[in-house]
Amino acid sequence: MTRKFTIRDIAQLAGVSIATVSRVLNHKPDVDPQTRERILHIMDVHSFAPDLSAVQLAGSPSRRKLSSPHAFPPDFLWGAATSAYQTEGAVREGGRGPSIWDTFVREPGTTWHGETGDVAADHYHWMLDDVALMKELQLKAYRFSVSWPRILPQGNGPINACGLDFYDRLVDALLAHDICPVATLYHWDLPLALHEQGGWLTRETAYAFADYAELMARKLGDRVSWWVTHNEPWCSAYLGYGIGTHAPGIRDFSSAVLASHHILLSHGLATERIRAHAQTEAHIGITLNLTPIYAADESEATQQGVEQLDVLHNRWFLDPLFRGTYPEQLFNNLGVAPPAIKNIDMQIIATPLDFLGVNYYSRSLIRTPLRTQHYEPVVPVPEASYTQMAWEIYPQGLSDMLLRVQRDYAPSAILITENGAAFEDSWDGRGHVPDKRRVRYLHEHLLELETVLKQGVPISGYFVWSLLDNFEWTDGYSKRFGLIYVDYITQRRIIKESGRWYAAFIKEVTATN
Ligand code: FCB
């Protein structure tokens, strides 16, 4: 393309008026989400750069720059993240046992077009190439998850040496490239055999998890010093056991709170075991998905809604981990009795963390319509932009949430273990995947991060979700989050524009440290 694209070209390609394109460029709310998405997509594909005079970008954070000198410390972990089931594939290879996701995805209607993680990004076979790409992206750290059923096909009992060997080789390859491994022990793939014995509804699973954690600490703890016990236990408990949209697909709030209790217990038990058996100094934490909740009006119903949703989305896990208690309203709000809690449990759960992992994607805004008593989400938010997941892009939510966590819970360190966005990327068949909206998303969030670092919040690292396009759970392969595009037909990898941008960003920041 030699000729520069104009707004008129974009309008023609999208089959809309110039005024509609202009409304999208100016973040006006009254364009329906599909049309907005189509227009933005066409802009991306044609690397369309609007004439600034046509767009009210003044004050837009992505035009802001890092301060000089910037606030990121020299040992900051600049990374990207993946998880086993979403990326590895090879589900029946190398002695791996089945997990709850292997069976869940086979139930009709659970995933987009019935897609599964059987092959995913085939990282199990592409691992060395992928580590070389991490190096090309200038990554200083890589967050991956260990597949429990690849290590212990039955969840406990016989160890699968071939599975251990895979992570052994991964860790060695990372270290050979000076990339710090950050290992997550549970990213939702419970061994099916344990599920059949009650899964997270039984205490035994918590003890089985602690044994597995000890095993991993013994095997990798000479080289891995950053450990995340669980990824987003809220999703495991609420989505998996409460509303059933994730594996194992159970719909019962009593089960959700019971599962959450055993997951938290397993975290505390595992923390002690990793600390006792890792040979290097271990930093042990847990990753929570946190969603700041905002009120769009001052009505009492809205204020109550903010509190309720905050309990559900944030305090359910923050309170027990940092205060050793569940929020009082949790069980009432869910309409259930508290789970059976043994005396010692809350103390185990509140075992001090070395860091808190925070996954941040979006916020929630609620309002109460006039003459009603019930709050509802504001969707779409006027003036807002959305990702392909229909998640509002709200970078300020990251800093608001971090400042709040710091004020109310004061973790000794924080890792942003996931942040990123899905857009409809397309590859030009050669070497180019234009994804300016992802660049903008990342840049805006990183600027927020710098702001809170300057305010003294102890953030030790930032991980883009995701290194590679991968299996996005119930959305299958329809949502791409990667810094690297994966052509699923050939498994060819193509670094997206955002990947190149992130590499340049890391290079610049680390050069001026
Ligand atoms: C998080 C999950 C991760 C990925 C992103 C988009 O909730 O931890 O596996 O699916 O969302």
Side-chain angles (χ1 to χ4, degrees):
M1 178 86 260
T2 47
R3 187 171 67 86
K4 195 171 177 305
F5 258 76
T6 63
I7 291 195
R8 182 184 301 276
D9 297 322
I10 301 293
Q12 247 176 15
L13 286 171
V16 298
S17 67
I18 293 178
T20 306
V21 177
S22 157
R23 300 192 78 69
V24 169
L25 281 170
N26 286 303
H27 302 287
K28 297 286 185 233
D30 50 359
V31 179
D32 77 84
Q34 272 182 342
T35 309
R36 175 190 302 277
E37 192 56 37
R38 192 167 75 249
I39 293 171
L40 289 170
H41 177 60
I42 291 170
M43 289 179 185
D44 251 4
V45 171
H46 296 283
S47 298
F48 172 73
D51 176 354
L52 288 188
S53 60
V55 189
Q56 302 152 8
L57 281 176
S60 154
S62 72
R63 299 183 69 214
R64 276 174 24 214
K65 286 207 160 39
L66 290 180
S67 46
S68 173
H70 65 74
F72 294 99
D75 55 354
F76 195 79
L77 297 175
W78 290 105
T82 62
S83 85
Y85 185 65
Q86 294 177 275
T87 317
E88 285 176 11
V91 293
R92 281 177 218 89
E93 260 179 78
R96 177 186 179 276
S99 84
I100 52 174
W101 271 91
D102 292 294
T103 47
F104 182 73
V105 295
R106 290 192 157 67
E107 284 165 29
T110 51
T111 68
W112 193 77
H113 290 188
E115 289 182 341
T116 75
D118 284 6
V119 179
D122 199 23
H123 171 70
Y124 187 73
H125 296 112
W126 284 70
M127 185 265 283
L128 288 177
D129 303 72
D130 291 341
V131 175
L133 286 170
M134 293 174 210
K135 191 69 193 169
E136 210 174 321
L137 292 189
Q138 306 286 327
L139 301 191
K140 309 290 174 230
Y142 173 53
R143 173 177 176 240
F144 59 95
S145 85
V146 178
S147 158
W148 184 353
R150 204 179 275 296
I151 302 294
L152 295 157
Q154 297 300 311
N156 47 26
I159 299 170
N160 175 33
C162 192
L164 271 176
D165 179 59
F166 172 73
Y167 297 104
D168 228 26
R169 286 185 289 115
L170 169 62
V171 166
D172 285 345
L174 291 170
L175 294 176
H177 286 82
D178 273 328
I179 298 170
C180 170
V182 178
T184 300
L185 290 174
Y186 188 81
H187 203 123
W188 309 351
D189 44 1
L190 181 70
L192 188 63
L194 291 185
H195 173 65
E196 283 162 356
Q197 294 156 45
W200 289 114
L201 300 178
T202 65
R203 266 182 102 78
E204 284 69 30
T205 298
Y207 290 96
F209 181 75
D211 290 342
Y212 152 63
E214 175 179 331
L215 174 69
M216 295 315 298
R218 283 180 187 275
K219 297 290 176 186
L220 301 181
D222 54 339
R223 288 156 292 155
V224 172
S225 54
W226 289 85
W227 300 88
V228 176
T229 55
H230 279 267
N231 177 71
E232 302 189 350
W234 182 87
C235 293
S236 307
Y238 187 78
L239 304 183
Y241 290 83
I243 61 170
T245 52
H246 276 193
I250 293 169
R251 290 180 202 166
D252 171 38
F253 287 152
S254 297
S255 298
V257 298
L258 188 59
S260 76
H261 185 65
H262 293 144
I263 291 171
L264 282 166
L265 181 65
S266 80
H267 153 78
L269 294 169
T271 302
E272 292 167 21
R273 303 277 279 275
I274 301 168
R275 211 170 311 288
H277 296 283
Q279 297 95 301
T280 55
E281 191 207 348
H283 308 268
I284 308 164
I286 185 168
T287 280
L288 304 182
N289 49 315
L290 299 179
T291 309
I293 320 288
Y294 297 83
D297 61 51
E298 305 212 314
S299 72
E300 205 171 303
T302 300
Q303 301 308 317
Q304 277 177 7
V306 168
E307 265 179 52
Q308 276 181 14
L309 292 175
D310 186 44
V311 164
L312 179 69
H313 289 281
N314 306 311
R315 292 184 51 202
W316 182 349
F317 290 88
L318 283 167
D319 279 21
L321 287 163
F322 288 93
R323 298 179 178 156
T325 54
Y326 286 104
E328 235 172 74
Q329 314 89 317
L330 174 68
F331 307 114
N332 241 340
N333 291 353
L334 288 172
V336 299
I341 298 174
K342 296 207 174 167
N343 283 344
I344 191 74
D345 290 3
M346 298 315 289
Q347 203 183 316
I348 297 174
I349 289 171
T351 304
L353 296 168
D354 299 314
F355 69 92
L356 174 68
V358 173
N359 290 354
Y360 176 77
Y361 289 94
S362 187
R363 66 146 170 186
S364 164
L365 178 68
I366 61 167
R367 69 171 162 219
T368 303
L370 285 178
R371 288 182 292 279
T372 70
Q373 305 284 303
H374 302 290
Y375 67 85
E376 61 178 30
V378 180
V379 181
V381 175
E383 311 283 325
S385 303
Y386 285 81
T387 70
Q388 197 195 356
M389 300 293 280
W391 295 344
E392 186 199 352
I393 302 178
Y394 193 70
Q396 196 197 318
L398 176 61
S399 31
D400 288 347
M401 183 42 93
L402 291 172
L403 290 168
R404 182 271 176 105
V405 163
Q406 187 58 20
R407 185 193 67 213
D408 292 350
Y409 302 96
S412 37
I414 296 176
L415 286 189
I416 308 304
T417 37
E418 288 179 28
N419 175 235
F423 293 112
E424 286 168 325
D425 302 319
S426 46
W427 171 39
D428 69 356
R430 295 184 300 277
H432 196 50
V433 180
D435 62 339
K436 289 201 171 47
R437 281 177 290 162
R438 187 172 290 104
V439 171
R440 187 181 174 125
Y441 180 100
L442 298 176
H443 194 186
E444 290 181 349
H445 286 80
L446 284 166
L447 290 168
E448 292 296 324
L449 206 58
E450 202 208 8
T451 315
V452 290
L453 262 169
K454 284 198 279 186
Q455 293 175 62
V457 181
I459 303 157
S460 311
Y462 172 86
F463 295 76
V464 173
W465 183 271
S466 175
L467 174 73
L468 299 162
D469 290 340
N470 58 44
F471 176 74
E472 180 45 39
W473 307 111
T474 52
D475 285 307
Y477 299 97
S478 68
K479 304 289 190 301
R480 294 176 176 273
F481 274 89
L483 292 168
I484 299 172
Y485 184 91
V486 176
D487 172 39
Y488 292 113
I489 299 166
T490 59
Q491 292 294 347
R492 184 170 157 193
R493 274 83 162 124
I494 301 101
I495 299 182
K496 298 180 193 176
E497 202 172 311
S498 58
R500 304 213 175 277
W501 173 85
Y502 191 45
F505 185 91
I506 298 175
K507 207 167 176 178
E508 189 186 321
V509 171
T510 49
T512 49
N513 269 134

